Amino acid sequence: MVPARLEELRAELTEAGQTKLTFLKFDEAEDGRSSEAVKREEREWREILGPYVEAGDTWLSAPWLVAEFYAYRRLIESLGYYDKSNPATYLYDPFLVAKRAGLVSSVNSAENLMAKVTALPKTKEGVALAAAFALWGNTMDLSIWPADAENSGADVFQKILHAADDNLLHDDTDKLTDLCEGLRERGGGRVDVIVDNAGFELVTDLALADHLVASGVAKVVTFQLKSHPTFVSDALEKDLRETVEHYAALDPERYPHAREGGERWRRYLDDGKWVCHEDDFWVQPSPMWEMPNPLRADLREGCDLAFVKGDANYRRLLGDREWDYTVPFDDVVGCYFPCPVCALRTLKAEVGCGMEAGQVERARGLDDEWMVNGRFGVVHFGNGADR
């Protein structure tokens, strides 16, 4: 049955220009989730697909972002991911091998990273560096990192941050760190991380969350995660927990800092300082201003700051629309997002905003593919609609 459904999907994609989109199929009797969850997801996808199904759109004429998310949800449907009657496919992650390979290969880079994270000062500069790690990952130049970091002054860390400025097209780090300093002064708040990829990128997210808790900025960090496998490398709760356990079990002599990090992360999860939350909204193409009311209310009432990671999430922040590159991020996103928001994005798609005209021209002159190859990045901050 599963191969037949996969062949059907393959045939549709082979003739993508002629094949019209259809609604997803749901079966409450076989679905392992609650009836309420199944009905809610079915309603959401019918609302998403309705305009394109009614218009007779094909895989190629529908908006690209819609077709992308739809393709992965169709794959989940074809595999019988939620079919509890089939143990061979129920909750089977088709991308698990690739994710585990990324996890294993992340450790060497993470050992170097974690040695730096534990030495970060509990200051604005510490938050700025933790955010920079989460943005740039192992492409950040740390050659000038001081040998005695724990006793170094703020000017040393500012030099490290400035070393990454050349590829940063907009930088709201000062606004971010001002908010974080206020959270620290009041005893810490709730910070959410809207996660993108597993592997080393997830490790940098965990490192950021680690510093936020250790430095007193956050009492609780909530990781907003995908509800089913999508985009190959996107992270679910199980991927986060597997990453923590993998790091906690590393050889302490070969990877002392990464091992200590894993053990610390496990304690955060056990103590409730880290919380995982999966939601179907994170695996759908809707603009983030169409966030469902329960999720919006949770962020509005409980979250003091949300970090948004990854290019697909950023595209959704902008509704995957073509904005003038110079329109302020706070006017596009901060005006509707339910809480203060910081987007950490390396540019990998031809949509954007909040960049100064001179920086856009500079990047365009340096690299014809400046919008899509991940060379350039932004740190964007929005105040939030109700703040």
Side-chain angles (χ1 to χ4, degrees):
M1 185 63 177
V2 170
R5 291 196 296 245
L6 285 173
E7 284 303 319
E8 179 183 340
L9 178 58
R10 186 196 301 272
E12 287 189 31
L13 293 172
T14 301
E15 301 293 334
Q18 289 74 47
T19 305
K20 295 180 179 180
L21 300 189
T22 58
F23 289 113
L24 293 163
K25 300 171 184 175
F26 293 84
D27 188 336
E28 287 185 51
E30 294 183 351
D31 200 300
R33 298 171 293 172
S34 69
S35 175
E36 179 185 1
V38 176
K39 289 178 179 177
R40 180 174 61 248
E41 193 198 9
E42 181 175 16
R43 181 179 65 254
E44 289 167 348
W45 269 108
R46 289 191 74 86
E47 290 174 355
I48 292 166
L49 294 172
Y52 312 111
V53 172
E54 292 170 10
D57 274 309
T58 69
W59 282 90
L60 297 187
S61 66
W64 177 249
L65 192 67
V66 172
E68 273 189 298
F69 278 95
Y70 176 66
Y72 282 96
R73 186 58 182 83
R74 282 289 304 279
L75 176 62
I76 291 303
E77 175 188 276
S78 299
L79 288 173
Y81 181 80
Y82 290 120
D83 184 358
K84 63 185 178 183
S85 69
N86 189 344
T89 64
Y90 182 52
L91 302 184
Y92 168 73
D93 187 344
F95 311 125
L96 184 59
V97 172
K99 288 180 185 178
R100 284 183 173 164
L103 172 57
V104 171
S105 67
S106 72
V107 174
N108 286 326
S109 295
E111 175 62 20
N112 182 42
L113 170 69
M114 293 309 300
K116 309 294 188 291
V117 168
T118 54
L120 290 176
K122 298 178 181 179
T123 62
K124 290 184 176 182
E125 289 76 22
V127 171
L129 280 163
F133 292 156
L135 172 63
W136 297 115
N138 57 9
T139 65
M140 190 171 176
D141 181 11
L142 298 177
S143 61
I144 59 174
W145 191 269
D148 187 18
E150 293 185 12
N151 297 311
S152 297
D155 59 325
V156 174
F157 296 106
Q158 285 293 342
K159 288 180 181 178
I160 299 169
L161 286 166
H162 289 324
D165 279 355
D166 283 349
N167 291 338
L168 203 56
L169 301 184
H170 186 84
D171 188 6
D172 282 332
T173 297
D174 287 346
K175 295 179 180 178
L176 168 66
T177 58
D178 283 347
L179 175 65
C180 289
E181 192 64 21
L183 293 177
R184 189 188 348 255
E185 289 174 355
R186 78 177 206 206
R190 170 183 151 187
V191 178
D192 284 25
V193 181
I194 300 174
V195 175
D196 188 31
N197 293 319
F200 183 68
E201 184 178 334
L202 176 58
V203 173
T204 66
D205 296 342
L206 300 181
L208 170 61
D210 190 347
H211 177 72
L212 293 174
V213 171
S215 65
V217 171
K219 287 182 179 178
V220 176
V221 174
T222 299
F223 296 97
Q224 300 284 352
L225 297 146
K226 306 301 192 292
S227 59
H228 65 67
T230 195
F231 288 136
V232 181
S233 58
D234 281 20
L236 286 69
E237 178 176 351
K238 69 176 183 63
D239 300 315
L240 187 150
R241 291 185 179 276
E242 182 173 354
T243 298
V244 170
E245 292 305 317
H246 182 81
Y247 272 70
L250 289 170
D251 182 342
E253 294 187 4
R254 188 176 180 186
Y255 302 111
H257 300 289
R259 163 74 178 248
E260 289 172 6
E263 292 176 336
R264 194 165 53 250
W265 301 341
R266 181 194 279 162
R267 290 195 297 272
Y268 289 153
L269 287 168
D270 290 343
D271 295 344
K273 293 180 179 178
W274 282 7
V275 177
C276 296
H277 176 253
E278 294 184 342
D279 199 287
D280 287 336
F281 183 69
W282 306 125
V283 287
Q284 296 171 352
S286 305
M288 286 202 190
W289 57 73
E290 294 180 3
M291 189 179 295
N293 288 332
L295 182 58
R296 173 179 292 278
D298 177 58
L299 291 175
R300 182 181 63 247
E301 296 166 11
C303 184
D304 297 293
L305 169 66
F307 285 94
V308 178
K309 291 292 303 297
D311 205 69
N313 283 331
Y314 188 91
R315 288 162 65 188
R316 294 183 64 198
L317 282 174
L318 272 58
D320 208 34
R321 270 104 166 141
E322 291 187 358
W323 299 87
D324 187 302
Y325 293 148
T326 64
V327 174
F329 180 82
D330 208 31
D331 290 351
V332 178
V333 177
C335 61
Y336 77 80
F337 207 81
C339 65
V341 56
C342 177
L344 303 175
R345 182 214 187 187
T346 53
L347 279 61
K348 295 179 182 177
E350 294 176 330
V351 295
C353 71
M355 297 176 284
E356 291 76 12
Q359 289 283 41
V360 170
E361 290 306 313
R362 180 178 70 86
R364 189 176 281 143
L366 289 171
D367 193 333
D368 290 341
E369 298 184 343
W370 69 282
M371 282 296 292
V372 298
N373 61 11
R375 174 180 175 180
F376 296 98
V378 293
V379 178
H380 277 148
F381 182 85
N383 288 307
D386 301 316
R387 307 299 172 107

